[in-house]
Amino acid sequence: MKLPLSPSTEPVATEPLGMALLSSILAAWSYISENPERAALYFVSGVCIGLFLTLAALVMRISCHTD
């Protein structure tokens, strides 16, 4: 019996979803604690981009509104 080949060359992860989530959280915490300035920059950039997209959506909604 042949197993189907994966198009990816990376090994298939067999760890449970809970452990993968915990591992990701610990990796994120480690990155933030090692690079606080970069993490703050990413956070502020994300907030600014979100506000800009919200403003653009409101402008489009107001300008396309027909009475």
Side-chain angles (χ1 to χ4, degrees):
M1 174 181 209
K2 285 188 171 182
L3 294 175
L5 296 177
S6 173
S8 174
T9 59
E10 295 185 23
V12 177
T14 58
E15 61 185 24
L17 182 62
M19 293 303 291
L21 180 63
L22 180 62
S23 176
S24 296
I25 290 172
L26 289 175
W29 180 259
S30 172
Y31 179 81
I32 291 171
S33 64
E34 291 174 5
N35 303 303
E37 295 89 3
R38 186 174 286 188
L41 177 65
Y42 289 155
F43 176 76
V44 171
S45 297
V47 169
C48 289
I49 290 171
L51 288 173
F52 178 74
L53 291 175
T54 303
L55 179 64
L58 287 172
V59 167
M60 290 297 293
R61 182 177 178 196
I62 291 171
S63 66
C64 294
H65 183 66
T66 57
D67 289 330

